[in-house]
Amino acid sequence: MVLCAGLSLAMVFASCGKSSESAYKKAYEKAKSQEAAAAVTQPATPAPSTPATVQPVQTQPATQTVVAPVADKDVRSESVQLVSGTGLKAYSVVVGSFKGQANAEGLQQQLRNNGYDAQIVRKDAVDGAWFRVIATTFDTKDQAISSRDALRATYQGAWLLFKQ
């Protein structure tokens, strides 16, 4: 009887150990499969890159104005203040309009590097100040139109400004 009791007790302990081992193995396999599934759904972390560099000021206009080719209707009349440059004549060709003065200065420098006497004027509006970049300025409308048409090859949104 003692022998049967010992044998029964040995079987109970042996079966308990296997179920614990089996439960641990199942939990381990489940965690591994969840980890593999998470690795598939999450994008790989990019390798560390070199330190960020400072980008130059963008020289594209924040807004572009499309002006109809009709000579009498394509001139805007605005009251502006000279910010940088030698001064405006009656008609000017605007090639960029920015909310930030730094962007306007960047385009002005690019135009000066290309041989233009670029200037910046400030137009106060309801939504804040706009900085207009002027490539050329003339006394006559015909000269300004010719210049604007030539500049549209590079600056598609170029338009005429009549200084009030």
Side-chain angles (χ1 to χ4, degrees), residues 34-161:
Q34 288 175 346
E35 188 178 284
V40 169
T41 58
Q42 293 178 350
T45 306
S49 61
T50 59
T53 58
V54 177
Q55 296 295 324
V57 175
Q58 291 198 11
T59 59
Q60 295 179 343
T63 60
Q64 291 185 345
T65 305
V66 177
V67 181
V70 179
D72 294 333
K73 294 184 179 181
D74 62 354
V75 178
R76 282 194 203 173
S77 180
E78 293 182 346
S79 177
V80 294
Q81 300 168 350
L82 185 66
V83 174
S84 173
T86 58
L88 300 181
K89 295 180 182 176
Y91 294 93
S92 301
V93 180
V94 178
V95 294
S97 188
F98 301 92
K99 292 293 281 179
Q101 186 173 352
N103 286 341
E105 289 170 350
L107 180 55
Q108 178 189 31
Q109 188 59 48
Q110 180 184 8
L111 287 163
R112 285 183 173 174
N113 291 343
N114 290 332
Y116 293 98
D117 182 26
Q119 303 179 59
I120 298 174
V121 295
R122 178 185 171 129
K123 163 70 175 148
D124 291 321
V126 175
D127 61 343
W130 284 89
F131 296 92
R132 313 265 197 230
V133 180
I134 295 174
T136 56
T137 186
F138 300 95
D139 288 320
T140 67
K141 185 176 179 181
D142 290 338
Q143 290 174 318
I145 289 172
S146 296
S147 178
R148 181 212 52 208
D149 292 344
L151 283 163
R152 278 191 175 166
T154 306
Y155 304 96
Q156 295 174 349
W159 53 276
L160 295 181
L161 169 70

